[in-house]
């Protein structure tokens, strides 16, 4: 006969076995103490091998910031993150996890994990609608209204538009609305015609970005382009509504940096890379322009961590990112894919041009020792290059081809650049 | 009486397993879980009950991959048992027995001639 305590113990275990959210208890070093089946179910496919003992190791590939966040959290206890988004896998196979971490003591942490992939896709669309409703509720005064025709030309501007932008009506009318966009590297860039095409398809398009002012300056605004319902069923004009966002520009820039940058190195993060790269590849395929990708992996990095500690490893990664960014053009997208692996996406670059750049980056790493916490270290990296064409038509193809070349670079002695063989691209 | 070697985790045959009564299953040193074609637990031996910390009567009749073993509800285990007509495969795995990450070997057993399929768990 089971005692009351045994019965309760069983009930507790069953509760944890059946819990649909993942629960993990771990130490400051990431060593997993307790974990429920839902969490193991999420971590096993990421680990890629049937042993999961350290949470930071599992996340090293896709969310290396987690270790930094835990280690940099100074308070004796409290919430380290809530619903932190982690993108696992690559391209079509990727999924999104939401992760919350609480610190209980100096050496005891609890994390919850859940798969929110579908939710994220729904949210993106909902957020746009929400932004728009918020703008309606927040007062009509700072809203500028313009009318644009089917081709995207401004054909009328209300007094509210001249008041908000400072432009006279004659300076606005007749010009393409996009001519007043002032995008920068950190803000999302749209393809030409994308806003109009989406508005025609869905009835509306929302965008947030910099807009020109008559005095040469710019202001941050939300822009809604809405299809005007044609009374005769033919007219295809749009209403464009600009809403100045009054919050401090610095805050907005910080927020965007946080969402697009890797916590440790300041390079683009995975989420931003995949989003921007997909867009860039579509553009190159459409325009028939070249596009290359360079994958690089720091050689023997595990040894740096093991022999000199994670702080030295972090310093090395920051310096690698700094030297690489310095050797790339502003239009190249440089991102940390995870762990000690970085990627550069190079628009308008051929395979041979990318190999030349990669060789320059390789030399800039190898030429001079790196200071990691007072210890000079000689750090090298191996490079794999690939480019669109010859059967390579997607981000997944580009990454796979560069991965193959990188593998050859590692196997043939490291500290070298290998370009993928375009003839073997499809293999 | 079967010899001990024939009843080992690696050697035991599906038909031998199916023929053992509850008492004999309970003496095996590894976990035995028998599932219906719908995935409901029909066999749950004493070793497995002890490893998981769950009395047999609380598990038998429940849907194994949703209630007790979510971490096997993937392409490596549940999907294979569903998709493949015949299996006798041993894989390295890690379970969360009593919420502790525990490396184990799993042996998946399924045959056309038998409705019931088995998962053997050796830690």
């Amino acid at each position: 006969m089971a005692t009351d305590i045994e019965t309760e113990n069983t009930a507790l275990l069953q509760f944890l076995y059946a819990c649909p959210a993942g629960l993990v208890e771990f130490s400051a070093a990431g060593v997993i103490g307790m974990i429920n089946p839902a969490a193991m179910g999420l971590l096993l496919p990421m680990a890629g091998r049937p042993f999961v003992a350290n949470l930071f190791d599992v996340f090293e590939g896709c969310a290396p910031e987690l270790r930094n966040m835990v280690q940099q959290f100074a308070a004796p206890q409290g919430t380290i993150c809530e619903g932190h988004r982690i993108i696992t896998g690559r391209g079509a196979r990727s999924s999104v996890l939401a992760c919350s971490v609480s610190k209980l003591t100096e050496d005891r942490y609890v994390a919850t994990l859940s798969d929110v992939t579908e939710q994220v896709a729904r949210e993106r669309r909902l957020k746009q609608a929400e932004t728009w409703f918020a703008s309606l509720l927040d007062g009509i005064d700072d809203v500028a209204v313009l009318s644009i025709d089917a081709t995207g030309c401004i054909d009328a501007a209300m007094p509210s538009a001249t008041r908000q932008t400072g432009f006279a009506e004659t300076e606005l009318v007749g010009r393409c609305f996009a001519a007043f966009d002032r995008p920068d590297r950190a803000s999302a860039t749209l393809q030409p015609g994308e806003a109009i095409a989406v508005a025609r398809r869905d009835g509306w398009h929302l965008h947030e970005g910099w807009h020109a002012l008559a005095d040469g300056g710019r202001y941050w605004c939300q822009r809604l382009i809405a299809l005007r319902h044609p009374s005769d069923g033919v007219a295809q004009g749009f209403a464009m509504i600009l809403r100045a966002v009054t919050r401090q520009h610095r805050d907005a820039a910080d927020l965007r940096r946080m969402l697009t940058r890797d916590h440790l190195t300041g390079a683009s993060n995975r989420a931003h890379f995949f989003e921007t790269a997909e867009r860039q590849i579509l553009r190159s395929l459409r325009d028939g322009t070249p596009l290359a990708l360079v994958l690089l992996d720091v050689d023997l990095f595990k040894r740096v961590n093991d022999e000199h500690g994670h702080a030295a490893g972090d310093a090395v990664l920051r310096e690698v990112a700094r030297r690489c960014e310095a050797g790339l053009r502003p239009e190249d997208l440089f991102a940390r894919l995870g762990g000690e692996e970085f990627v550069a996406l190079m628009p308008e670059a051929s395979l041979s041009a990318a190999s030349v750049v990669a060789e320059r980056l390789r030399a800039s790493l190898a030429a001079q020792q790196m200071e990691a916490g007072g210890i000079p270290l000689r750090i090298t990296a191996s490079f794999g290059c690939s480019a669109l064409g010859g059967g390579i038509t997607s981000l997944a193809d580009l990454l796979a081809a560069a991965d193959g070349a990188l593998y050859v670079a590692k196997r043939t002695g490291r500290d070298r650049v290998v370009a993928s063989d375009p003839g073997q691209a499809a293999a | 009486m079967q010899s001990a070697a024939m009843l080992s985790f690696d050697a035991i045959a599906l038909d031998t397993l199916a023929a053992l009564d509850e008492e004999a299953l309970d003496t095996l040193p590894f976990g035995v879980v028998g599932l219906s074609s719908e995935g409901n637990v029909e066999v749950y031996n004493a070793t497995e009950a002890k490893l998981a910390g769950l009395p047999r009567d609380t598990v038998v009749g429940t849907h194994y991959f949703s209630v007790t073993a979510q971490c096997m509800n993937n392409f490596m285990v549940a999907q294979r048992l569903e998709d493949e007509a015949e299996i006798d495969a041993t894989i390295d795995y890690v379970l969360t027995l009593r919420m502790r990450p525990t490396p184990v070997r799993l042996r998946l057993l399924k045959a056309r001639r038998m409705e019931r399929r088995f998962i053997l768990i050796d830690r």
Side-chain angles (χ1 to χ4, degrees):
Chain A
M1 195 61 204
T3 65
D4 285 352
I5 285 186
E6 281 167 351
T7 311
E8 275 192 26
N9 188 34
T10 302
L12 270 173
L13 276 178
Q14 280 177 317
F15 171 68
L16 290 166
Y17 279 124
C19 179
L23 301 168
V24 190
E25 184 215 60
F26 60 99
S27 74
V31 176
I32 294 172
M34 287 208 258
I35 179 166
N36 76 342
M40 188 57 82
L42 293 171
L43 296 183
L44 265 179
M46 286 164 61
R49 61 202 163 107
F51 193 68
V52 173
N54 186 302
L55 194 65
F56 298 155
D57 287 352
V58 178
F59 281 133
E60 190 60 30
C62 58
E65 72 277 11
L66 210 67
R67 178 166 58 79
N68 300 89
M69 286 159 66
V70 166
Q71 288 174 353
Q72 284 167 18
F73 189 81
Q77 72 276 320
T79 303
I80 296 173
C81 61
E82 264 189 275
H84 180 73
R85 296 280 163 92
I86 295 170
I87 304 198
T88 73
R90 280 177 180 178
R93 288 188 309 275
S94 77
S95 60
V96 186
L97 302 184
C99 172
S100 299
V101 180
S102 283
K103 181 176 182 178
L104 307 179
T105 68
E106 280 308 319
D107 203 31
R108 191 155 173 246
Y109 300 80
V110 170
T112 64
L113 293 169
S114 42
D115 189 325
V116 292
T117 312
E118 285 180 28
Q119 202 179 321
V120 166
R122 281 199 305 271
E123 259 171 28
R124 186 170 298 174
R125 190 83 182 136
L126 264 176
K127 192 170 156 268
Q128 292 195 321
E130 231 171 56
T131 314
W132 171 236
F133 287 127
S135 78
L136 279 181
L137 292 172
D138 275 7
I140 270 323
D141 289 353
D142 59 348
V143 171
V145 182
L146 298 98
S147 167
I148 54 185
D149 68 15
T151 65
C153 262
I154 298 172
D155 55 15
M158 308 303 130
S160 58
T162 56
R163 203 164 53 230
Q164 189 175 94
T165 64
F167 288 110
E169 192 180 353
T170 51
E171 292 175 286
L172 294 168
V173 170
R175 298 190 62 191
C176 174
F177 76 92
F180 297 94
D181 282 350
R182 293 290 178 270
D184 60 15
R185 277 184 77 197
S187 55
T189 50
L190 298 168
Q191 294 185 50
E194 184 178 339
I196 290 290
V198 171
R200 187 170 289 135
R201 188 191 70 202
D202 295 351
W204 53 276
H205 179 265
L206 258 175
H207 178 67
E208 215 179 290
W210 296 107
H211 195 270
L213 287 169
D215 65 7
R218 59 181 191 172
Y219 70 110
W220 186 256
C221 74
Q222 293 169 347
R223 181 185 71 202
L224 175 82
I225 294 178
L227 189 63
R228 257 204 310 270
H229 284 291
S231 49
D232 57 0
V234 181
Q236 286 281 295
F238 301 87
M240 178 162 89
I241 295 154
L242 301 174
R243 178 178 176 259
V245 179
T246 48
R247 73 175 171 225
Q248 293 285 317
H249 288 161
R250 202 173 53 81
D251 291 351
D254 281 350
L255 182 66
R256 272 177 296 135
R257 195 173 308 119
M258 210 176 76
L259 291 172
T260 61
R261 299 277 131 186
D262 171 55
H263 192 264
L264 177 70
T265 62
S268 285
N269 62 23
R270 286 170 63 86
H272 184 63
F273 173 77
F274 285 112
E275 199 176 312
T276 314
E278 295 279 7
R279 204 190 281 272
Q280 185 64 52
I281 285 165
L282 286 177
R283 196 175 302 165
S284 296
L285 289 173
R286 187 196 58 199
D287 301 346
T289 53
L291 178 84
L293 183 143
V294 175
L295 206 57
L296 73 107
D297 191 273
V298 180
D299 294 327
L300 305 172
F301 182 72
K302 195 176 175 309
R303 195 180 284 177
V304 176
N305 272 338
D306 290 348
E307 290 176 9
H308 306 286
H310 281 293
D314 289 353
V316 164
L317 293 176
R318 273 194 294 266
E319 180 61 12
V320 167
R322 194 190 64 77
R323 290 191 197 178
C324 288
E325 292 229 58
L328 292 167
R329 305 166 301 174
E331 61 266 40
D332 296 331
L333 175 67
F334 182 69
R336 185 179 179 205
L337 278 186
E340 63 273 26
E341 191 183 27
F342 295 88
V343 66
L345 188 78
M346 304 168 61
E348 311 279 334
S350 64
L351 186 61
S352 57
S355 302
V356 170
V357 173
E359 175 53 33
R360 205 168 60 219
L361 298 183
R362 185 205 63 74
S364 83
L365 295 180
Q368 205 184 349
Q369 292 192 326
M370 292 183 189
E371 280 289 324
I375 314 152
L377 296 174
R378 185 175 177 273
I379 298 295
T380 62
S382 301
F383 296 72
C385 311
S386 63
L388 284 182
I392 296 183
T393 56
S394 69
L395 180 56
D397 293 346
L398 276 170
L399 283 167
D403 229 3
L406 176 60
Y407 176 73
V408 175
K410 289 277 184 193
R411 205 186 43 194
T412 52
R414 304 188 185 89
D415 188 19
R416 64 195 60 209
V417 175
V418 173
S420 73
D421 180 351
Q424 306 219 313
Chain B
M1 191 62 199
Q2 314 261 3
S3 80
M6 285 173 63
L7 294 175
S8 72
F9 173 85
D10 291 297
I12 196 165
L14 185 57
D15 294 310
T16 314
L17 203 54
L20 292 177
D21 60 17
E22 195 170 281
E23 204 178 320
L25 285 166
D26 282 348
T27 63
L28 296 174
F30 48 86
V32 178
V33 180
L35 302 175
S36 72
S37 52
E38 284 83 38
N40 292 320
V41 180
E42 296 176 336
V43 173
Y44 200 72
N45 80 341
T47 306
E48 185 52 24
K50 186 155 166 291
L51 288 174
L54 296 172
R56 186 200 328 262
D57 56 0
T58 68
V59 179
V60 169
T62 63
H63 191 264
Y64 191 56
F65 296 122
S66 7
V67 179
T68 308
Q70 282 185 75
C71 59
M72 291 193 232
N73 196 5
N74 57 28
F75 65 92
M76 293 175 263
V77 182
Q79 201 61 46
R80 277 192 76 179
L81 279 174
E82 184 65 33
D83 293 350
E84 294 176 31
E86 304 246 338
I87 320 177
D88 180 357
T90 302
I91 54 178
D92 288 322
Y93 211 72
V94 53
L95 294 181
T96 59
L97 298 167
R98 300 190 306 281
M99 307 311 138
R100 304 288 175 184
T102 315
V104 296
R105 286 194 307 147
L106 297 181
R107 191 163 157 221
L108 312 181
L109 288 166
K110 179 182 173 185
R112 274 197 191 81
R113 62 182 179 279
M114 199 182 299
E115 187 93 334
R116 182 178 290 170
R117 62 238 20 208
F118 287 90
I119 301 174
L120 310 185
I121 298 137
D122 180 36
R123 72 161 286 185

